[in-house]
Amino acid sequence: MKELIEKYGILVSSRLFTINDQRKFSEFSGDFNPIHIDKILARKTIVGERIVHGIHGLMWSLNEFFKNDTLVVNFFNAKFHKPITLDSPVFLFWNSQKKKLTIANESTLFTTITINFGNIENNNKKFDIKLGYKLTEPKNLSIKECDELGNQEIIYRGNVNVGQLLFPELFKIYGSGVIAEIALTSEIVGMQMPGLHSLFISIVGSIFDSSEDSIFRLEDYDLRFGVLKIKMQGKHLKSQIEALNVASSTAVPSVKHLKKFINLNEFKYVDALVIGGSRGLGELTAKLISCGGGRVTISYNLGEADAKNVQKEILASGLSCAVTQLDITSSFIFPLGNFNQIYYFPTPKIKIERNVYFDYQLTELYKKYYVDGFKSLVSEVLNRKILASIFYPSTNLIDYPSKNFSSYIKAKAEGENLCQQFNKLKNMRIFFPRLPRVATDQTLSVTPMHFHDAIEVMLPHIRNISHDLYI
Amino acid sequence: MSDVIKSLLPIFRDIFDDDDLAITILTSTQDIEGWDSLGHIRLVVAVEKFFGINFSADEINDAVNVGAMVELILIKKSKLF
């Protein structure tokens, strides 16, 4: 903490953001984008988990600041460097020389807010924003579609009473009109422009009173990165918003498409348990084996609906697939079946590490999946005397180390080591090839990246493991 | 080269919101808090706008230290004239 104070200024406040806090802010702002509140859908986004609304962090910071200071802020420049995830402690600092509020913790800088003080002329604190019903789901617009919209009317679709409970200091100073307008910028980005696949990255706002205008529009954009610049002229807030229209989840090819790559009945002797088979490489493996006439049981941890969809697609093609729940990171019941192959794909979101600090939490998270979970699985296989070949996907980043993935590489190398040790045991056959980076939900990135084709990567390995079944 | 670094400094300070930030050709993503993928995009967009140039996808991925970015800027600028 001492280092953080030296770096960012005096400690103003600290807190955790919980799912209940998130729901309240959604209610207040009208921004119900699933990345903030839906555990399952948020897994498939670029962040891989639920995140705090950027504007929620901004409003909390200002509210905490005003508990100790009576000066009025009439300008703010907020940058959301990294999304704040739920249930992790964050700290708010104030640097009076730089007039800067910072939200950070020991390993991550989340948000910086530079502010200016000044009067707000004729601040009569009235609420004069047009009201509307909340959108039932976020729009999902391309940048071109956003551009075609032109000027859009600003409508407040939240519940201002909830906001008063969340940010009482802000309401006291500014009144409900200003505060509702700051909150609804979150709704503009998260629900409307571009909506579903958005990330709020910065806002520069001037608070005043008052204007007749009440519009927002796309002012500029960069199609390569999906960057949108939105101009908003509200009754009390004039702002420039920067947002990203990020890649949506990477869909695994359909069974119909995959059949083209598989010989008829080439996997007919395979009875596979695919752990983590509800999406990504696990889903692809399950589909490939099914297409070759094999039987598959796919397990999911949280994504029941995803797993059921995969099953539905496989069954609809007249192929075989069962579904079971299994959380490899806690005690689990091993699924029933005469499996001769087990594929191990459980993984958290794989993050690019560009932090200056060593990310202890991330390392522990990777180890939980790639080392401890795998150890539990093999122990079960040994206890139950199951004679199955096991597939453990390692990474070629071990051959080409990158500082950006050091925690990931470390955990995978430890997993490889474990495979080598287990392979010394009688009847144990673990395959642990070093796979290149392929495009899945877990490897989505905002920067353009080169990925290998997942079918070309996985199919030779499935054939290799299945080879012995024919001898 | 030093002129380009001088021009880059205010851009870096603005993007990473650090008025005391200093950069050299050796400064990389590891050295600056916030120079992650999001920060990289914002930086690239600002640099392109300032210098009136455009980077390709490969160039964007390679420009993960100031030296590489300066080199790219110099090459792109020389092609403009």
Side-chain angles (χ1 to χ4, degrees), chain A residues 314-344:
Chain A
I314 292 174
L315 294 179
S317 301
L319 306 167
S320 162
C321 180
V323 168
T324 185
Q325 199 276 340
L326 195 160
D327 178 6
I328 203 74
T329 63
S330 62
S331 59
F332 60 88
I333 299 165
F334 198 87
L336 293 173
N338 297 313
F339 307 118
N340 50 29
Q341 293 181 357
I342 300 172
Y343 293 82
Y344 186 82

Side-chain angles (χ1 to χ4, degrees), chain A residues 354-395:
Chain A
R354 284 195 170 115
N355 282 333
V356 182
Y357 308 103
F358 173 71
D359 198 331
Y360 176 77
Q361 270 185 329
L362 189 61
T363 306
E364 287 303 300
L365 179 69
Y366 286 145
K367 275 180 70 178
K368 211 166 154 183
Y369 283 86
Y370 303 145
V371 182
D372 303 338
F374 186 64
K375 206 187 279 182
S376 307
L377 170 78
V378 177
S379 299
E380 278 295 309
V381 168
L382 288 169
N383 287 342
R384 291 166 186 271
K385 298 186 172 61
I386 296 166
L387 290 174
S389 299
I390 301 174
F391 180 84
Y392 176 92
S394 187
T395 172

Side-chain angles (χ1 to χ4, degrees), chain A residues 424-471:
Chain A
K424 289 176 188 166
L425 301 173
K426 199 182 164 192
N427 293 329
M428 185 59 74
R429 285 183 80 224
I430 304 177
F431 295 77
F432 49 101
R434 293 178 175 175
L435 305 184
R437 201 172 160 89
V438 296
T440 68
D441 293 345
Q442 291 87 350
T443 56
L444 282 173
S445 169
V446 290
T447 44
M449 298 194 90
H450 291 300
F451 292 106
H452 285 77
D453 180 81
I455 304 169
E456 282 176 21
V457 168
M458 272 316 296
L459 191 52
H461 291 299
I462 300 171
R463 284 181 171 144
N464 183 33
I465 297 170
S466 305
H467 181 73
D468 286 1
L469 299 172
Y470 302 91
I471 298 171

Side-chain angles (χ1 to χ4, degrees), chain A residues 7-8 79 81-82 98 100 109 112 201 224-225 227 242 244 354 356-357 403-404 446 448 450, chain B residues 14-15 17-18 20 29-31 33 35-38 41-42 44-45 48 54-55 57-58 60-61:
Chain A
K7 201 168 178 182
Y8 300 126
K79 289 176 181 158
H81 300 279
K82 275 246 184 237
K98 295 181 178 175
K100 190 190 282 183
L109 167 69
T112 49
I201 52 178
R224 291 169 306 163
F225 305 121
V227 176
E242 250 186 322
L244 272 186
R354 284 195 170 115
V356 182
Y357 308 103
K403 281 183 184 174
N404 293 340
V446 290
H450 291 300
Chain B
D14 176 51
I15 296 296
D17 224 349
D18 184 351
D20 303 324
T29 52
Q30 302 294 318
D31 304 314
E33 203 170 11
W35 193 351
D36 53 16
S37 39
L38 251 185
I41 285 178
R42 295 174 60 232
V44 167
V45 171
E48 287 182 334
N54 273 308
F55 295 126
D58 281 345
I60 289 160
N61 282 318

Side-chain angles (χ1 to χ4, degrees), chain B residues 9-77:
Chain B
L9 185 60
I11 300 173
F12 269 75
R13 285 181 172 174
D14 176 51
I15 296 296
F16 301 114
D17 224 349
D18 184 351
D19 301 335
D20 303 324
L21 185 68
I23 55 169
T24 70
I25 50 166
L26 298 176
T27 306
S28 75
T29 52
Q30 302 294 318
D31 304 314
I32 296 179
E33 203 170 11
W35 193 351
D36 53 16
S37 39
L38 251 185
H40 194 53
I41 285 178
R42 295 174 60 232
L43 178 68
V44 167
V45 171
V47 168
E48 287 182 334
K49 193 174 174 187
F50 181 84
F51 288 98
I53 53 178
N54 273 308
F55 295 126
S56 69
D58 281 345
E59 288 167 342
I60 289 160
N61 282 318
D62 291 343
V64 289
N65 61 61
V66 172
M69 192 168 273
V70 169
E71 209 172 304
L72 271 172
I73 292 167
L74 289 172
I75 293 168
K76 298 266 170 188
K77 290 293 280 180

